[in-house]
Amino acid sequence: MLFNSKPQDFDVPPEQINDLNKPMWDKAMKELQKIAKFKTPSLKLKYLLNGWMITNNSFSLFGSVKDNQAASAEDILKILPYIIVKSQADTLPLQIK
């Protein structure tokens, strides 16, 4: 089942999978889970954007070019589907329409 996926299943680079990023990813997952609670598109987009920003910030806060941990846009686009799947926001496509 997809909910049991690991970051490696989404080709997330191993150097991005660490104890600093995972709590931020969990926080992003919680933001995505909030989408179903709201009716207005603006609030739904707010939590979708919050999830994206938390994910993006986790890379910029804890990444380092010197230590080969800096994330590229491609890395972020690999981790975002993982976060969406792990958030178990199975109705996310319906919620953002």
Side-chain angles (χ1 to χ4, degrees):
M1 185 130 214
L2 282 176
F3 298 137
N4 297 325
S5 299
K6 295 182 177 10
Q8 298 88 341
D9 298 334
F10 291 84
D11 295 327
V12 176
E15 61 271 7
Q16 300 298 334
I17 305 167
N18 57 51
D19 293 335
L20 297 173
N21 283 338
K22 284 189 176 183
M24 297 292 280
W25 297 347
D26 290 339
K27 187 174 181 181
M29 290 175 208
K30 288 179 183 169
E31 288 295 306
L32 291 178
Q33 291 168 348
K34 293 177 185 177
I35 290 175
K37 297 178 184 177
F38 297 98
K39 301 281 185 214
T40 64
S42 61
L43 286 175
K44 290 176 189 241
L45 285 173
K46 174 185 173 185
Y47 288 103
L48 185 64
L49 181 61
N50 285 349
W52 170 262
M53 293 303 296
I54 291 168
T55 304
N56 185 43
N57 290 341
S58 73
F59 287 113
S60 61
L61 287 174
F62 304 118
S64 167
V65 174
K66 182 176 76 172
D67 297 332
N68 195 26
Q69 290 182 345
S72 67
E74 290 177 8
D75 294 336
I76 294 171
L77 289 176
K78 290 178 183 176
I79 193 61
L80 199 58
Y82 165 74
I83 289 172
I84 291 170
V85 166
K86 289 298 282 189
S87 71
Q88 298 184 0
D90 52 348
T91 62
L92 185 63
L94 297 173
Q95 294 294 328
I96 58 175
K97 281 187 177 184

